[in-house]
Short mmCIF file of all heavy atoms in Angstrom, two decimals:
data_model
loop_
_atom_site.label_atom_id
_atom_site.label_comp_id
_atom_site.label_asym_id
_atom_site.label_seq_id
_atom_site.Cartn_x
_atom_site.Cartn_y
_atom_site.Cartn_z
N PRO P 51 67.68 108.52 109.36
CA PRO P 51 67.54 109.93 108.95
C PRO P 51 67.88 110.87 110.10
O PRO P 51 67.69 110.54 111.28
CB PRO P 51 66.07 110.03 108.55
CG PRO P 51 65.65 108.63 108.22
CD PRO P 51 66.44 107.75 109.14
N GLU P 52 68.38 112.05 109.74
CA GLU P 52 68.80 113.02 110.76
C GLU P 52 67.63 113.54 111.59
O GLU P 52 67.79 113.81 112.78
CB GLU P 52 69.49 114.21 110.08
CG GLU P 52 70.73 113.83 109.31
CD GLU P 52 71.13 114.90 108.31
OE1 GLU P 52 70.54 114.93 107.22
OE2 GLU P 52 72.03 115.69 108.65
N GLY P 53 66.48 113.71 110.99
CA GLY P 53 65.38 114.34 111.70
C GLY P 53 65.34 115.83 111.42
O GLY P 53 66.33 116.43 110.98
N ALA P 54 64.21 116.45 111.70
CA ALA P 54 64.01 117.86 111.35
C ALA P 54 64.89 118.81 112.13
O ALA P 54 65.22 119.90 111.65
CB ALA P 54 62.54 118.23 111.54
N ALA P 55 65.32 118.43 113.34
CA ALA P 55 66.05 119.36 114.21
C ALA P 55 67.54 119.09 114.29
O ALA P 55 68.25 119.73 115.06
CB ALA P 55 65.45 119.32 115.61
N ILE P 56 68.05 118.12 113.49
CA ILE P 56 69.46 117.73 113.58
C ILE P 56 70.09 117.73 112.20
O ILE P 56 69.49 117.29 111.23
CB ILE P 56 69.59 116.33 114.22
CG1 ILE P 56 69.13 116.35 115.69
CG2 ILE P 56 71.03 115.83 114.14
CD1 ILE P 56 69.17 114.99 116.36
N ARG P 57 71.33 118.26 112.11
CA ARG P 57 72.14 118.16 110.90
C ARG P 57 73.34 117.26 111.19
O ARG P 57 73.94 117.34 112.25
CB ARG P 57 72.65 119.54 110.46
CG ARG P 57 71.66 120.41 109.74
CD ARG P 57 71.29 119.91 108.34
NE ARG P 57 72.43 119.54 107.52
CZ ARG P 57 73.21 120.42 106.86
NH1 ARG P 57 72.98 121.73 106.96
NH2 ARG P 57 74.21 120.01 106.13
N ARG P 58 73.68 116.44 110.22
CA ARG P 58 74.82 115.53 110.34
C ARG P 58 75.88 115.96 109.33
O ARG P 58 75.68 115.86 108.12
CB ARG P 58 74.35 114.10 110.08
CG ARG P 58 75.45 113.04 110.28
CD ARG P 58 74.90 111.66 109.95
NE ARG P 58 73.83 111.28 110.86
CZ ARG P 58 72.71 110.65 110.49
NH1 ARG P 58 72.52 110.35 109.21
NH2 ARG P 58 71.79 110.35 111.37
N LEU P 59 77.01 116.45 109.83
CA LEU P 59 78.06 117.00 108.97
C LEU P 59 79.31 116.13 109.04
O LEU P 59 79.73 115.71 110.13
CB LEU P 59 78.43 118.42 109.40
CG LEU P 59 77.30 119.45 109.47
CD1 LEU P 59 77.85 120.77 109.97
CD2 LEU P 59 76.64 119.61 108.11
N PRO P 60 79.95 115.86 107.89
CA PRO P 60 81.22 115.12 107.92
C PRO P 60 82.31 115.94 108.61
O PRO P 60 82.40 117.15 108.43
CB PRO P 60 81.53 114.90 106.43
CG PRO P 60 80.77 115.97 105.72
CD PRO P 60 79.54 116.22 106.52
N ILE P 61 83.12 115.26 109.41
CA ILE P 61 84.20 115.92 110.13
C ILE P 61 85.48 115.79 109.33
O ILE P 61 85.89 114.69 108.95
CB ILE P 61 84.38 115.30 111.53
CG1 ILE P 61 83.09 115.42 112.34
CG2 ILE P 61 85.54 115.97 112.26
CD1 ILE P 61 83.15 114.69 113.67
N TYR P 62 86.14 116.94 109.09
CA TYR P 62 87.37 116.96 108.31
C TYR P 62 88.56 117.40 109.16
O TYR P 62 88.40 118.17 110.12
CB TYR P 62 87.24 117.92 107.12
CG TYR P 62 86.61 117.28 105.90
CD1 TYR P 62 85.28 116.85 105.92
CD2 TYR P 62 87.34 117.10 104.73
CE1 TYR P 62 84.70 116.26 104.81
CE2 TYR P 62 86.77 116.51 103.61
CZ TYR P 62 85.45 116.09 103.64
OH TYR P 62 84.90 115.50 102.55
N GLN P 63 89.72 116.90 108.77
CA GLN P 63 90.98 117.33 109.37
C GLN P 63 92.05 117.28 108.29
O GLN P 63 92.17 116.28 107.57
CB GLN P 63 91.37 116.43 110.55
CG GLN P 63 92.63 116.91 111.29
CD GLN P 63 92.95 116.03 112.48
OE1 GLN P 63 92.66 114.84 112.47
NE2 GLN P 63 93.55 116.62 113.51
N ASN P 64 92.78 118.38 108.14
CA ASN P 64 93.82 118.48 107.11
C ASN P 64 93.27 118.18 105.71
O ASN P 64 93.93 117.51 104.90
CB ASN P 64 94.99 117.53 107.43
CG ASN P 64 95.64 117.84 108.76
OD1 ASN P 64 95.76 119.00 109.15
ND2 ASN P 64 96.05 116.81 109.48
N GLY P 65 92.07 118.65 105.45
CA GLY P 65 91.48 118.51 104.13
C GLY P 65 90.87 117.17 103.81
O GLY P 65 90.38 116.96 102.70
N LYS P 66 90.86 116.24 104.76
CA LYS P 66 90.30 114.91 104.53
C LYS P 66 89.32 114.55 105.64
O LYS P 66 89.49 114.98 106.79
CB LYS P 66 91.40 113.85 104.46
CG LYS P 66 92.37 114.03 103.31
CD LYS P 66 93.42 112.93 103.32
CE LYS P 66 94.39 113.09 102.15
NZ LYS P 66 95.43 112.03 102.16
N GLN P 67 88.31 113.75 105.28
CA GLN P 67 87.37 113.32 106.30
C GLN P 67 88.04 112.36 107.28
O GLN P 67 88.82 111.49 106.88
CB GLN P 67 86.14 112.64 105.69
CG GLN P 67 85.06 112.34 106.73
CD GLN P 67 83.78 111.79 106.12
OE1 GLN P 67 83.73 111.49 104.93
NE2 GLN P 67 82.74 111.66 106.93
N VAL P 68 87.76 112.53 108.55
CA VAL P 68 88.28 111.64 109.58
C VAL P 68 87.63 110.27 109.42
O VAL P 68 86.41 110.16 109.30
CB VAL P 68 88.00 112.20 110.99
CG1 VAL P 68 88.50 111.22 112.06
CG2 VAL P 68 88.66 113.56 111.15
N LEU P 69 88.45 109.21 109.39
CA LEU P 69 87.96 107.85 109.19
C LEU P 69 88.30 106.97 110.38
O LEU P 69 89.29 107.20 111.08
CB LEU P 69 88.58 107.25 107.92
CG LEU P 69 88.31 107.97 106.60
CD1 LEU P 69 89.09 107.32 105.48
CD2 LEU P 69 86.82 107.99 106.30
N ARG P 70 87.46 105.97 110.61
CA ARG P 70 87.67 105.01 111.71
C ARG P 70 87.49 103.60 111.18
O ARG P 70 86.74 103.37 110.22
CB ARG P 70 86.67 105.25 112.83
CG ARG P 70 86.69 106.63 113.47
CD ARG P 70 87.87 106.81 114.40
NE ARG P 70 88.03 105.72 115.33
CZ ARG P 70 87.23 105.51 116.40
NH1 ARG P 70 86.22 106.33 116.65
NH2 ARG P 70 87.43 104.49 117.21
N ASN P 71 88.15 102.64 111.80
CA ASN P 71 87.99 101.22 111.46
C ASN P 71 87.00 100.56 112.40
O ASN P 71 87.10 100.72 113.63
CB ASN P 71 89.33 100.49 111.55
CG ASN P 71 90.30 100.92 110.47
OD1 ASN P 71 89.90 101.20 109.35
ND2 ASN P 71 91.58 100.98 110.80
N TYR P 72 86.07 99.82 111.83
CA TYR P 72 85.14 99.02 112.62
C TYR P 72 85.33 97.55 112.28
O TYR P 72 85.53 97.19 111.11
CB TYR P 72 83.69 99.43 112.36
CG TYR P 72 83.21 100.47 113.33
CD1 TYR P 72 83.68 101.78 113.27
CD2 TYR P 72 82.31 100.15 114.34
CE1 TYR P 72 83.27 102.73 114.18
CE2 TYR P 72 81.88 101.10 115.25
CZ TYR P 72 82.37 102.38 115.16
OH TYR P 72 81.96 103.32 116.07
N CYS P 73 85.30 96.71 113.31
CA CYS P 73 85.56 95.28 113.14
C CYS P 73 84.60 94.46 113.99
O CYS P 73 83.98 94.97 114.93
CB CYS P 73 86.99 94.93 113.55
SG CYS P 73 88.29 95.85 112.70
N ALA P 74 84.51 93.20 113.63
CA ALA P 74 83.93 92.21 114.53
C ALA P 74 85.10 91.50 115.21
O ALA P 74 86.10 91.19 114.56
CB ALA P 74 83.06 91.22 113.77
N PHE P 75 84.99 91.28 116.49
CA PHE P 75 86.05 90.61 117.24
C PHE P 75 85.47 89.41 117.98
O PHE P 75 84.36 89.49 118.53
CB PHE P 75 86.67 91.56 118.28
CG PHE P 75 87.29 92.80 117.70
CD1 PHE P 75 86.58 93.99 117.64
CD2 PHE P 75 88.59 92.79 117.23
CE1 PHE P 75 87.13 95.15 117.13
CE2 PHE P 75 89.17 93.95 116.71
CZ PHE P 75 88.44 95.12 116.65
N TRP P 76 86.21 88.31 117.99
CA TRP P 76 85.85 87.19 118.86
C TRP P 76 87.11 86.42 119.22
O TRP P 76 88.14 86.51 118.55
CB TRP P 76 84.81 86.28 118.21
CG TRP P 76 85.19 85.57 116.95
CD1 TRP P 76 85.75 84.33 116.83
CD2 TRP P 76 84.99 86.04 115.59
NE1 TRP P 76 85.93 84.00 115.51
CE2 TRP P 76 85.47 85.02 114.73
CE3 TRP P 76 84.45 87.20 115.04
CZ2 TRP P 76 85.42 85.13 113.34
CZ3 TRP P 76 84.42 87.32 113.66
CH2 TRP P 76 84.89 86.30 112.82
N ARG P 77 87.02 85.69 120.32
CA ARG P 77 88.17 84.94 120.81
C ARG P 77 88.44 83.74 119.91
O ARG P 77 87.53 83.00 119.56
CB ARG P 77 87.93 84.47 122.24
CG ARG P 77 88.04 85.57 123.26
CD ARG P 77 87.62 85.14 124.65
NE ARG P 77 88.20 83.88 125.07
CZ ARG P 77 88.12 83.39 126.31
NH1 ARG P 77 87.47 84.08 127.24
NH2 ARG P 77 88.66 82.24 126.61
N LYS P 78 89.71 83.55 119.54
CA LYS P 78 90.06 82.42 118.68
C LYS P 78 89.73 81.09 119.34
O LYS P 78 89.32 80.15 118.66
CB LYS P 78 91.55 82.48 118.33
CG LYS P 78 91.91 83.54 117.30
CD LYS P 78 93.38 83.45 116.93
CE LYS P 78 93.73 84.46 115.84
NZ LYS P 78 95.16 84.40 115.48
N ASP P 79 89.91 81.02 120.65
CA ASP P 79 89.67 79.74 121.32
C ASP P 79 88.19 79.43 121.50
O ASP P 79 87.84 78.37 121.99
CB ASP P 79 90.38 79.71 122.68
CG ASP P 79 89.88 80.78 123.64
OD1 ASP P 79 89.09 81.66 123.21
OD2 ASP P 79 90.27 80.75 124.82
N ARG P 80 87.32 80.37 121.07
CA ARG P 80 85.88 80.13 121.16
C ARG P 80 85.19 80.34 119.82
O ARG P 80 83.98 80.55 119.76
CB ARG P 80 85.25 81.05 122.22
CG ARG P 80 85.78 80.78 123.62
CD ARG P 80 84.90 81.37 124.68
NE ARG P 80 85.35 80.99 126.00
CZ ARG P 80 84.68 81.23 127.13
NH1 ARG P 80 83.53 81.87 127.06
NH2 ARG P 80 85.14 80.85 128.29
N SER P 81 85.97 80.28 118.76
CA SER P 81 85.39 80.46 117.43
C SER P 81 84.41 79.33 117.12
O SER P 81 84.57 78.20 117.60
CB SER P 81 86.50 80.49 116.38
OG SER P 81 85.99 80.85 115.12
N SER P 82 83.40 79.63 116.34
CA SER P 82 82.39 78.63 115.98
C SER P 82 81.81 78.99 114.62
O SER P 82 81.98 80.10 114.10
CB SER P 82 81.27 78.58 117.02
OG SER P 82 80.49 79.76 116.98
N HIS P 83 81.12 78.02 114.04
CA HIS P 83 80.48 78.25 112.75
C HIS P 83 79.46 79.38 112.84
O HIS P 83 79.36 80.22 111.92
CB HIS P 83 79.79 76.97 112.28
CG HIS P 83 79.06 77.11 110.99
ND1 HIS P 83 79.69 77.25 109.78
CD2 HIS P 83 77.72 77.17 110.72
CE1 HIS P 83 78.79 77.37 108.82
NE2 HIS P 83 77.59 77.33 109.36
N ALA P 84 78.70 79.43 113.93
CA ALA P 84 77.68 80.47 114.08
C ALA P 84 78.30 81.86 114.11
O ALA P 84 77.80 82.79 113.46
CB ALA P 84 76.87 80.23 115.35
N ILE P 85 79.40 82.03 114.84
CA ILE P 85 80.08 83.32 114.90
C ILE P 85 80.58 83.74 113.53
O ILE P 85 80.37 84.87 113.08
CB ILE P 85 81.24 83.27 115.91
CG1 ILE P 85 80.73 83.08 117.34
CG2 ILE P 85 82.09 84.54 115.82
CD1 ILE P 85 81.82 82.86 118.37
N GLU P 86 81.24 82.82 112.85
CA GLU P 86 81.80 83.13 111.53
C GLU P 86 80.70 83.45 110.52
O GLU P 86 80.86 84.36 109.70
CB GLU P 86 82.65 81.95 111.06
CG GLU P 86 83.90 81.73 111.91
CD GLU P 86 84.61 80.43 111.59
OE1 GLU P 86 84.13 79.71 110.67
OE2 GLU P 86 85.62 80.11 112.24
N GLU P 87 79.60 82.73 110.57
CA GLU P 87 78.49 82.99 109.66
C GLU P 87 77.89 84.38 109.90
O GLU P 87 77.63 85.12 108.96
CB GLU P 87 77.40 81.92 109.84
CG GLU P 87 77.65 80.65 109.08
CD GLU P 87 77.47 80.84 107.58
OE1 GLU P 87 76.35 81.10 107.13
OE2 GLU P 87 78.48 80.76 106.87
N PHE P 88 77.68 84.71 111.17
CA PHE P 88 77.08 86.01 111.47
C PHE P 88 78.00 87.14 111.03
O PHE P 88 77.55 88.13 110.44
CB PHE P 88 76.77 86.14 112.96
CG PHE P 88 76.10 87.45 113.29
CD1 PHE P 88 74.74 87.60 113.13
CD2 PHE P 88 76.84 88.54 113.74
CE1 PHE P 88 74.11 88.80 113.39
CE2 PHE P 88 76.23 89.74 114.01
CZ PHE P 88 74.86 89.88 113.83
N ALA P 89 79.30 87.01 111.33
CA ALA P 89 80.25 88.06 110.93
C ALA P 89 80.28 88.22 109.41
O ALA P 89 80.35 89.34 108.90
CB ALA P 89 81.65 87.72 111.45
N GLY P 90 80.21 87.11 108.68
CA GLY P 90 80.20 87.18 107.23
C GLY P 90 78.96 87.88 106.69
O GLY P 90 79.03 88.67 105.75
N ILE P 91 77.80 87.58 107.28
CA ILE P 91 76.56 88.24 106.88
C ILE P 91 76.65 89.74 107.12
O ILE P 91 76.29 90.56 106.26
CB ILE P 91 75.36 87.65 107.64
CG1 ILE P 91 75.09 86.21 107.19
CG2 ILE P 91 74.10 88.51 107.43
CD1 ILE P 91 74.06 85.49 108.04
N LEU P 92 77.14 90.12 108.29
CA LEU P 92 77.22 91.54 108.63
C LEU P 92 78.16 92.28 107.69
O LEU P 92 77.84 93.38 107.22
CB LEU P 92 77.67 91.69 110.08
CG LEU P 92 77.74 93.12 110.63
CD1 LEU P 92 76.40 93.81 110.51
CD2 LEU P 92 78.21 93.10 112.08
#
């Protein structure tokens, strides 16, 4: 939640909200079942 003293406003540019990509990253040479399972859950 924002809290009583803070407002959270969407940021727009050229009439559209600014979007970003978020990813999970890991090294291919160190991939493991645990890493893949956690990324899938998230």
Side-chain angles (χ1 to χ4, degrees):
E52 299 162 279
I56 294 177
R57 282 291 312 281
R58 184 182 296 140
L59 304 177
I61 301 173
Y62 274 66
Q63 185 178 30
N64 299 324
K66 296 181 179 179
Q67 187 174 8
V68 177
L69 300 175
R70 301 285 311 287
N71 291 324
Y72 267 71
C73 304
F75 300 96
W76 63 90
R77 286 172 48 171
K78 285 185 177 179
D79 61 352
R80 297 197 174 188
S81 188
S82 69
H83 178 72
I85 294 173
E86 294 170 1
E87 277 289 294
F88 182 83
I91 291 171
L92 183 57

